Every structure is written in structure tokens, then in C-alpha cells.
mmCIF file of all heavy atoms in Angstrom:
data_model
loop_
_atom_site.group_PDB
_atom_site.id
_atom_site.type_symbol
_atom_site.label_atom_id
_atom_site.label_comp_id
_atom_site.label_asym_id
_atom_site.label_seq_id
_atom_site.Cartn_x
_atom_site.Cartn_y
_atom_site.Cartn_z
ATOM 1 N N TRP A 1 0.820 -1.205 0.000
ATOM 2 C CA TRP A 1 0.000 0.000 0.000
ATOM 3 C C TRP A 1 0.858 1.261 0.000
ATOM 4 O O TRP A 1 0.560 2.230 -0.698
ATOM 5 C CB TRP A 1 -0.940 -0.019 1.200
ATOM 6 C CG TRP A 1 -1.862 1.151 1.268
ATOM 7 C CD1 TRP A 1 -2.833 1.496 0.371
ATOM 8 C CD2 TRP A 1 -1.873 2.145 2.277
ATOM 9 N NE1 TRP A 1 -3.458 2.641 0.777
ATOM 10 C CE2 TRP A 1 -2.890 3.064 1.957
ATOM 11 C CE3 TRP A 1 -1.136 2.348 3.436
ATOM 12 C CZ2 TRP A 1 -3.168 4.161 2.740
ATOM 13 C CZ3 TRP A 1 -1.427 3.442 4.220
ATOM 14 C CH2 TRP A 1 -2.430 4.330 3.865
ATOM 15 N N LEU A 2 1.940 1.236 0.785
ATOM 16 C CA LEU A 2 2.804 2.418 0.864
ATOM 17 C C LEU A 2 3.682 2.593 -0.374
ATOM 18 O O LEU A 2 4.037 3.710 -0.740
ATOM 19 C CB LEU A 2 3.675 2.348 2.116
ATOM 20 C CG LEU A 2 2.940 2.485 3.449
ATOM 21 C CD1 LEU A 2 3.897 2.254 4.608
ATOM 22 C CD2 LEU A 2 2.275 3.838 3.556
ATOM 23 N N GLU A 3 4.061 1.501 -1.002
ATOM 24 C CA GLU A 3 4.966 1.571 -2.151
ATOM 25 C C GLU A 3 4.238 1.646 -3.494
ATOM 26 O O GLU A 3 4.875 1.858 -4.524
ATOM 27 C CB GLU A 3 5.898 0.356 -2.161
ATOM 28 C CG GLU A 3 6.872 0.315 -1.010
ATOM 29 C CD GLU A 3 7.885 1.441 -1.045
ATOM 30 O OE1 GLU A 3 8.283 1.868 -2.138
ATOM 31 O OE2 GLU A 3 8.276 1.897 0.042
ATOM 32 N N TRP A 4 2.922 1.466 -3.497
ATOM 33 C CA TRP A 4 2.189 1.406 -4.756
ATOM 34 C C TRP A 4 2.371 2.664 -5.623
ATOM 35 O O TRP A 4 2.592 2.544 -6.837
ATOM 36 C CB TRP A 4 0.706 1.144 -4.488
ATOM 37 C CG TRP A 4 -0.013 0.756 -5.723
ATOM 38 C CD1 TRP A 4 -0.840 1.530 -6.480
ATOM 39 C CD2 TRP A 4 0.068 -0.501 -6.392
ATOM 40 N NE1 TRP A 4 -1.297 0.833 -7.561
ATOM 41 C CE2 TRP A 4 -0.757 -0.420 -7.524
ATOM 42 C CE3 TRP A 4 0.749 -1.686 -6.135
ATOM 43 C CZ2 TRP A 4 -0.916 -1.485 -8.404
ATOM 44 C CZ3 TRP A 4 0.588 -2.744 -7.008
ATOM 45 C CH2 TRP A 4 -0.233 -2.637 -8.126
ATOM 46 N N PRO A 5 2.292 3.881 -5.056
ATOM 47 C CA PRO A 5 2.507 5.062 -5.919
ATOM 48 C C PRO A 5 3.909 5.112 -6.526
ATOM 49 O O PRO A 5 4.087 5.598 -7.651
ATOM 50 C CB PRO A 5 2.300 6.244 -4.970
ATOM 51 C CG PRO A 5 1.493 5.713 -3.850
ATOM 52 C CD PRO A 5 1.872 4.267 -3.721
ATOM 53 N N LYS A 6 4.903 4.602 -5.822
ATOM 54 C CA LYS A 6 6.274 4.620 -6.337
ATOM 55 C C LYS A 6 6.500 3.551 -7.405
ATOM 56 O O LYS A 6 7.405 3.674 -8.226
ATOM 57 C CB LYS A 6 7.256 4.400 -5.191
ATOM 58 C CG LYS A 6 7.227 5.490 -4.160
ATOM 59 C CD LYS A 6 8.151 5.153 -3.010
ATOM 60 C CE LYS A 6 8.001 6.139 -1.887
ATOM 61 N NZ LYS A 6 8.781 5.762 -0.715
ATOM 62 N N LEU A 7 5.692 2.491 -7.377
ATOM 63 C CA LEU A 7 5.881 1.400 -8.328
ATOM 64 C C LEU A 7 5.673 1.843 -9.775
ATOM 65 O O LEU A 7 6.274 1.282 -10.679
ATOM 66 C CB LEU A 7 4.914 0.250 -8.019
ATOM 67 C CG LEU A 7 5.273 -0.645 -6.850
ATOM 68 C CD1 LEU A 7 4.166 -1.645 -6.594
ATOM 69 C CD2 LEU A 7 6.566 -1.380 -7.103
ATOM 70 N N LYS A 8 4.842 2.824 -9.978
ATOM 71 C CA LYS A 8 4.575 3.280 -11.345
ATOM 72 C C LYS A 8 5.802 3.906 -11.983
ATOM 73 O O LYS A 8 5.961 3.866 -13.195
ATOM 74 C CB LYS A 8 3.417 4.270 -11.323
ATOM 75 C CG LYS A 8 2.121 3.638 -10.892
ATOM 76 C CD LYS A 8 1.023 4.654 -10.776
ATOM 77 C CE LYS A 8 -0.234 3.970 -10.236
ATOM 78 N NZ LYS A 8 -1.310 4.919 -9.983
ATOM 79 N N LYS A 9 6.696 4.447 -11.162
ATOM 80 C CA LYS A 9 7.901 5.101 -11.667
ATOM 81 C C LYS A 9 9.057 4.120 -11.860
ATOM 82 O O LYS A 9 10.009 4.429 -12.545
ATOM 83 C CB LYS A 9 8.341 6.204 -10.706
ATOM 84 C CG LYS A 9 7.321 7.281 -10.509
ATOM 85 C CD LYS A 9 7.756 8.256 -9.443
ATOM 86 C CE LYS A 9 6.644 9.235 -9.106
ATOM 87 N NZ LYS A 9 6.971 10.075 -7.968
ATOM 88 N N TRP A 10 8.972 2.960 -11.213
ATOM 89 C CA TRP A 10 10.065 1.987 -11.263
ATOM 90 C C TRP A 10 10.092 1.270 -12.605
ATOM 91 O O TRP A 10 9.092 1.125 -13.294
ATOM 92 C CB TRP A 10 9.909 0.950 -10.166
ATOM 93 C CG TRP A 10 10.118 1.473 -8.784
ATOM 94 C CD1 TRP A 10 10.477 2.722 -8.415
ATOM 95 C CD2 TRP A 10 9.966 0.742 -7.572
ATOM 96 N NE1 TRP A 10 10.566 2.821 -7.055
ATOM 97 C CE2 TRP A 10 10.260 1.635 -6.508
ATOM 98 C CE3 TRP A 10 9.613 -0.556 -7.274
ATOM 99 C CZ2 TRP A 10 10.208 1.237 -5.189
ATOM 100 C CZ3 TRP A 10 9.565 -0.945 -5.954
ATOM 101 C CH2 TRP A 10 9.858 -0.054 -4.917
ATOM 102 N N GLY A 11 11.281 0.762 -12.934
ATOM 103 C CA GLY A 11 11.431 -0.034 -14.140
ATOM 104 C C GLY A 11 11.008 -1.471 -13.898
ATOM 105 O O GLY A 11 10.625 -1.865 -12.793
ATOM 106 N N VAL A 12 11.111 -2.250 -14.930
ATOM 107 C CA VAL A 12 10.684 -3.651 -14.858
ATOM 108 C C VAL A 12 11.565 -4.445 -13.895
ATOM 109 O O VAL A 12 11.065 -5.258 -13.111
ATOM 110 C CB VAL A 12 10.709 -4.285 -16.266
ATOM 111 C CG1 VAL A 12 10.354 -5.753 -16.206
ATOM 112 C CG2 VAL A 12 9.763 -3.544 -17.193
ATOM 113 N N LYS A 13 12.862 -4.204 -13.913
ATOM 114 C CA LYS A 13 13.782 -4.946 -13.050
ATOM 115 C C LYS A 13 13.521 -4.647 -11.578
ATOM 116 O O LYS A 13 13.540 -5.555 -10.748
ATOM 117 C CB LYS A 13 15.233 -4.620 -13.392
ATOM 118 C CG LYS A 13 15.670 -5.143 -14.729
ATOM 119 C CD LYS A 13 17.107 -4.795 -15.002
ATOM 120 C CE LYS A 13 17.528 -5.280 -16.364
ATOM 121 N NZ LYS A 13 18.922 -4.940 -16.667
ATOM 122 N N GLU A 14 13.289 -3.381 -11.265
ATOM 123 C CA GLU A 14 13.030 -3.010 -9.872
ATOM 124 C C GLU A 14 11.728 -3.628 -9.372
ATOM 125 O O GLU A 14 11.644 -4.105 -8.245
ATOM 126 C CB GLU A 14 12.972 -1.483 -9.713
ATOM 127 C CG GLU A 14 14.309 -0.807 -9.852
ATOM 128 C CD GLU A 14 14.671 -0.493 -11.285
ATOM 129 O OE1 GLU A 14 13.860 -0.766 -12.191
ATOM 130 O OE2 GLU A 14 15.780 0.022 -11.501
ATOM 131 N N LYS A 15 10.715 -3.643 -10.224
ATOM 132 C CA LYS A 15 9.447 -4.267 -9.851
ATOM 133 C C LYS A 15 9.623 -5.767 -9.638
ATOM 134 O O LYS A 15 9.055 -6.343 -8.706
ATOM 135 C CB LYS A 15 8.389 -4.020 -10.927
ATOM 136 C CG LYS A 15 7.891 -2.608 -10.977
ATOM 137 C CD LYS A 15 6.866 -2.445 -12.083
ATOM 138 C CE LYS A 15 6.465 -0.998 -12.254
ATOM 139 N NZ LYS A 15 5.521 -0.810 -13.359
ATOM 140 N N ALA A 16 10.403 -6.401 -10.506
ATOM 141 C CA ALA A 16 10.625 -7.843 -10.380
ATOM 142 C C ALA A 16 11.341 -8.169 -9.074
ATOM 143 O O ALA A 16 10.967 -9.130 -8.378
ATOM 144 C CB ALA A 16 11.424 -8.359 -11.573
ATOM 145 N N VAL A 17 12.344 -7.387 -8.719
ATOM 146 C CA VAL A 17 13.063 -7.610 -7.464
ATOM 147 C C VAL A 17 12.147 -7.380 -6.278
ATOM 148 O O VAL A 17 12.124 -8.171 -5.330
ATOM 149 C CB VAL A 17 14.306 -6.698 -7.383
ATOM 150 C CG1 VAL A 17 14.904 -6.711 -5.999
ATOM 151 C CG2 VAL A 17 15.329 -7.110 -8.415
ATOM 152 N N PHE A 18 11.369 -6.327 -6.316
ATOM 153 C CA PHE A 18 10.456 -6.006 -5.218
ATOM 154 C C PHE A 18 9.463 -7.138 -4.983
ATOM 155 O O PHE A 18 9.287 -7.617 -3.861
ATOM 156 C CB PHE A 18 9.730 -4.696 -5.537
ATOM 157 C CG PHE A 18 8.735 -4.279 -4.505
ATOM 158 C CD1 PHE A 18 9.153 -3.786 -3.284
ATOM 159 C CD2 PHE A 18 7.383 -4.356 -4.758
ATOM 160 C CE1 PHE A 18 8.256 -3.380 -2.331
ATOM 161 C CE2 PHE A 18 6.466 -3.955 -3.815
ATOM 162 C CZ PHE A 18 6.892 -3.467 -2.594
ATOM 163 N N PHE A 19 8.811 -7.595 -6.053
ATOM 164 C CA PHE A 19 7.802 -8.639 -5.896
ATOM 165 C C PHE A 19 8.422 -9.999 -5.593
ATOM 166 O O PHE A 19 7.826 -10.814 -4.888
ATOM 167 C CB PHE A 19 6.902 -8.711 -7.128
ATOM 168 C CG PHE A 19 5.917 -7.582 -7.182
ATOM 169 C CD1 PHE A 19 6.008 -6.619 -8.157
ATOM 170 C CD2 PHE A 19 4.920 -7.458 -6.232
ATOM 171 C CE1 PHE A 19 5.113 -5.566 -8.203
ATOM 172 C CE2 PHE A 19 4.020 -6.415 -6.258
ATOM 173 C CZ PHE A 19 4.115 -5.466 -7.250
ATOM 174 N N SER A 20 9.626 -10.255 -6.091
ATOM 175 C CA SER A 20 10.264 -11.535 -5.759
ATOM 176 C C SER A 20 10.670 -11.574 -4.290
ATOM 177 O O SER A 20 10.563 -12.615 -3.638
ATOM 178 C CB SER A 20 11.459 -11.800 -6.664
ATOM 179 O OG SER A 20 12.446 -10.815 -6.476
ATOM 180 N N LEU A 21 11.123 -10.443 -3.738
ATOM 181 C CA LEU A 21 11.436 -10.401 -2.310
ATOM 182 C C LEU A 21 10.186 -10.606 -1.462
ATOM 183 O O LEU A 21 10.210 -11.325 -0.457
ATOM 184 C CB LEU A 21 12.117 -9.088 -1.951
ATOM 185 C CG LEU A 21 13.556 -8.939 -2.394
ATOM 186 C CD1 LEU A 21 14.045 -7.532 -2.096
ATOM 187 C CD2 LEU A 21 14.436 -9.967 -1.717
ATOM 188 N N LEU A 22 9.093 -9.998 -1.867
ATOM 189 C CA LEU A 22 7.844 -10.213 -1.137
ATOM 190 C C LEU A 22 7.386 -11.671 -1.255
ATOM 191 O O LEU A 22 6.860 -12.240 -0.292
ATOM 192 C CB LEU A 22 6.756 -9.274 -1.648
ATOM 193 C CG LEU A 22 6.900 -7.811 -1.258
ATOM 194 C CD1 LEU A 22 5.753 -6.995 -1.842
ATOM 195 C CD2 LEU A 22 6.950 -7.640 0.244
ATOM 196 N N ALA A 23 7.592 -12.271 -2.413
ATOM 197 C CA ALA A 23 7.219 -13.676 -2.585
ATOM 198 C C ALA A 23 8.074 -14.587 -1.702
ATOM 199 O O ALA A 23 7.573 -15.549 -1.115
ATOM 200 C CB ALA A 23 7.352 -14.076 -4.052
ATOM 201 N N VAL A 24 9.361 -14.284 -1.604
ATOM 202 C CA VAL A 24 10.243 -15.079 -0.731
ATOM 203 C C VAL A 24 9.802 -14.963 0.718
ATOM 204 O O VAL A 24 9.782 -15.951 1.464
ATOM 205 C CB VAL A 24 11.713 -14.631 -0.911
ATOM 206 C CG1 VAL A 24 12.608 -15.184 0.176
ATOM 207 C CG2 VAL A 24 12.216 -15.047 -2.276
ATOM 208 N N ILE A 25 9.401 -13.770 1.130
ATOM 209 C CA ILE A 25 8.906 -13.589 2.494
ATOM 210 C C ILE A 25 7.659 -14.429 2.716
ATOM 211 O O ILE A 25 7.514 -15.073 3.764
ATOM 212 C CB ILE A 25 8.628 -12.099 2.760
ATOM 213 C CG1 ILE A 25 9.932 -11.321 2.803
ATOM 214 C CG2 ILE A 25 7.860 -11.912 4.062
ATOM 215 C CD1 ILE A 25 9.756 -9.828 2.829
ATOM 216 N N CYS A 26 6.761 -14.445 1.739
ATOM 217 C CA CYS A 26 5.542 -15.260 1.866
ATOM 218 C C CYS A 26 5.871 -16.753 1.944
ATOM 219 O O CYS A 26 5.254 -17.485 2.720
ATOM 220 C CB CYS A 26 4.613 -14.999 0.697
ATOM 221 S SG CYS A 26 3.849 -13.385 0.728
#
């Protein structure tokens, strides 16, 4: 929720790293 506005500015690689880290946590 806090990072969603910033995600629109990020590139594909940054988004992939962000979501993969969250997936590893899950």
C-alpha cells in the first residue's frame, strides 16, 4: 500500500526484485 505510488515510476527490473522479495517472504 505504501509503495504502490512509487511502483509506477520503477522499471521492470526493480518491480521484479520487489515482488520476488515479497514472494520469498511469503
Side-chain angles (χ1 to χ4, degrees):
W1 182 63
L2 292 174
E3 293 294 327
W4 194 257
K6 297 176 187 174
L7 283 175
K8 295 176 184 175
K9 300 174 188 173
W10 291 357
V12 177
K13 291 180 182 179
E14 289 86 2
K15 288 179 186 177
V17 169
F18 178 73
F19 285 113
S20 63
L21 286 174
L22 287 180
V24 167
I25 291 170
C26 289

